[in-house]
């Protein structure tokens, strides 16, 4: 059964977000099935990969607060880019 929720919040998960998770260059069941993505209160860092902003068309809940994730929210996006994000305690908007 494909995942609908991925909750890595409040964990010691660290590192960058994998760009290929959001890529439609390959068949990716996670990309299509995922509806909720919780990454808050983790040790993740770096930019949200460009492929993520459009690559998760069915996600309606996405949290990144209290991480070292940085970058800018795209204008007029779809998928994650269409969501209004709570970016408190992140580095979003720094680049």
């Amino acid at each position: 059964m494909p995942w609908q929720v991925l909750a890595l919040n409040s964990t010691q998960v660290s590192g960058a977000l994998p760009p290929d998770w959001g890529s439609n260059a390959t068949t990716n069941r996670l990309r299509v099935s995922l509806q909720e993505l919780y990454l808050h209160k983790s040790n993740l860092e770096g930019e949200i990969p460009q492929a993520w902003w459009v690559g998760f068309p069915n996600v309606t809940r996405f949290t990144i607060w209290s991480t070292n994730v940085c970058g800018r929210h795209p204008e007029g996006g779809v998928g994650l880019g269409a969501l209004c994000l709570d970016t408190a305690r992140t580095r979003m908007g720094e680049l």
Side-chain angles (χ1 to χ4, degrees):
M1 170 175 251
W3 287 4
Q4 293 180 338
V5 177
L6 179 58
L8 300 176
N9 56 297
S10 301
T11 66
Q12 295 299 313
V13 170
S14 62
L17 302 171
D20 57 334
W21 282 14
S23 173
N24 62 5
T26 60
T27 303
N28 186 335
R29 290 177 58 183
L30 177 66
R31 182 180 64 80
V32 175
S33 67
L34 199 63
Q35 297 174 12
E36 299 176 31
L37 180 56
Y38 301 106
L39 304 177
H40 59 279
K41 294 176 67 178
S42 65
N43 292 321
L44 293 168
E45 60 189 17
E47 290 186 61
I48 296 175
Q50 187 65 33
W52 281 44
W53 291 117
V54 295
F56 292 101
N58 299 313
V59 169
T60 57
R61 291 182 177 89
F62 175 51
T63 63
I64 56 168
W65 54 271
S66 216
T67 65
N68 284 316
V69 172
C70 63
R72 294 194 185 276
H73 188 279
E75 293 183 28
V78 296
L80 296 183
L83 298 177
C84 178
L85 301 179
D86 175 358
T87 59
R89 295 188 303 275
T90 69
R91 296 176 46 228
M92 294 295 291
E94 287 189 7
L95 296 178

